[in-house]
Amino acid sequence: MVAAPALAELREVCQPQAKLQSRNGEHWAGRLYMRAISLRTTRQLVRTSVSPNTLTWVMVVCGVGGGAALLIPGLTGAVLAAVLFQLFLLFDCVDGEVARWKRQFSMAGVYVDRLGAYLADAALMIGAGVRAARGGSELWVSVGLAAALGVVLLKASTDLVDVARARSGQPPADEESTQPRSQGIATARRFASIFKIHRVTNGIEASLVLLAAAVVDAGLHNLDATRWTLAGIAVITWGMVAAHLASILSSSRLR
């Protein structure tokens, strides 16, 4: 078997600082702890014939599986969902690192990576809705579906900027162009960034919040914490959809 590369060499190639320091290009948990874990995982995987696209599909399975795990009653399902979303994050890091080391890049890989992000976060919200409806009103399924739709629209509003620019013959938007021209929207954006409430719309954070709610449910012997947590996520998500749309239209991204 091929010898494993040195971690320093691997880090230089697979974890470029430009990406890690990008505000929109790297999840905070990646910078905090997952990149240290992923680099060691990548070190072993580059010695095999596994392709980056295969790893991306594993990421998708973990994410969708995380949503399905919430169908398992009690703490077991919530713990499994949180673990699977951590694996989702791990493989989201690893697939790109392996691609950079092996120089195996493809548009299909980028497409599946984005598709996986949509499917994973939507699956978690739907799973939470079905979980919340157990022993109660079926209305909670609709709340989960509403949250899932909001999450998809939130991600799509960002991706569609690149689509619009590409169809207009423009390069991808840089970080400077994302700054709103409206002082009011810029202030609201800074205020929201202080409290980080937008993070709950991401499946990685949402799975941890739902796990905390499941712990409370276990103590109360009901699903009230999960239900109101899901309702809160749905409200925040749709608030973010409106705010993000306003931010995009008031910035230079589409000009």
Side-chain angles (χ1 to χ4, degrees):
M1 182 177 290
V2 178
L7 283 176
E9 181 184 8
L10 199 65
R11 184 178 294 107
E12 183 177 354
V13 174
C14 300
Q15 296 183 352
Q17 288 302 306
K19 175 175 174 55
L20 299 187
Q21 294 173 0
S22 172
R23 183 172 61 85
N24 296 320
E26 179 73 1
H27 192 277
W28 63 267
R31 288 191 294 268
L32 184 62
Y33 62 88
M34 191 56 78
R35 283 295 179 182
I37 299 172
S38 68
L39 193 68
R40 286 160 176 77
T41 305
T42 296
R43 189 184 187 208
Q44 301 306 317
L45 288 172
V46 294
R47 304 168 66 192
T48 72
S49 61
V50 67
S51 71
N53 285 1
T54 298
L55 296 170
T56 304
W57 279 112
V58 173
M59 179 200 78
V60 176
V61 171
C62 288
V64 175
L70 288 179
L71 303 183
I72 301 173
L75 276 175
T76 301
V79 170
L80 181 58
V83 170
L84 284 169
F85 265 88
Q86 290 299 307
L87 289 174
F88 172 88
L89 176 59
L90 172 63
F91 283 104
D92 192 24
C93 294
V94 166
D95 63 354
E97 291 174 359
V98 172
R100 293 183 196 101
W101 183 261
K102 293 186 173 183
R103 302 191 64 79
Q104 294 178 356
F105 306 105
S106 71
M107 285 189 291
V110 175
Y111 177 82
V112 174
D113 184 87
R114 293 305 302 152
L115 178 65
Y118 281 60
L119 291 176
D121 289 1
L124 184 73
M125 300 305 170
I126 294 171
V130 175
R131 181 185 181 90
R134 186 175 290 116
S137 172
E138 293 298 318
L139 178 63
W140 290 108
V141 176
S142 298
V143 175
L145 289 170
L149 177 59
V151 165
V152 169
L153 285 175
L154 192 56
K155 291 183 179 299
S157 64
T158 297
D159 288 343
L160 288 174
V161 169
D162 290 337
V163 173
R165 292 181 65 88
R167 290 188 177 183
S168 300
Q170 299 296 318
D174 56 27
E175 290 197 25
E176 183 178 351
S177 68
T178 66
Q179 300 303 316
R181 295 189 307 261
S182 166
Q183 187 60 41
I185 293 178
T187 300
R189 183 175 177 178
R190 285 194 296 270
F191 181 79
S193 68
I194 293 173
F195 296 97
K196 310 295 184 185
I197 59 172
H198 61 284
R199 287 182 175 174
V200 78
T201 64
N202 185 294
I204 297 164
E205 286 90 337
S207 67
L208 297 175
V209 172
L210 289 166
L211 173 57
V215 172
V216 175
D217 287 339
L220 298 177
H221 304 291
N222 57 38
L223 290 170
D224 286 350
T226 291
R227 288 165 181 157
W228 292 112
T229 296
L230 176 61
I233 291 174
V235 170
I236 291 171
T237 298
W238 279 98
M240 289 300 301
V241 169
H244 195 47
L245 178 61
S247 177
I248 289 172
L249 295 176
S250 68
S251 71
S252 301
R253 278 174 276 189
L254 298 179
R255 295 180 184 273

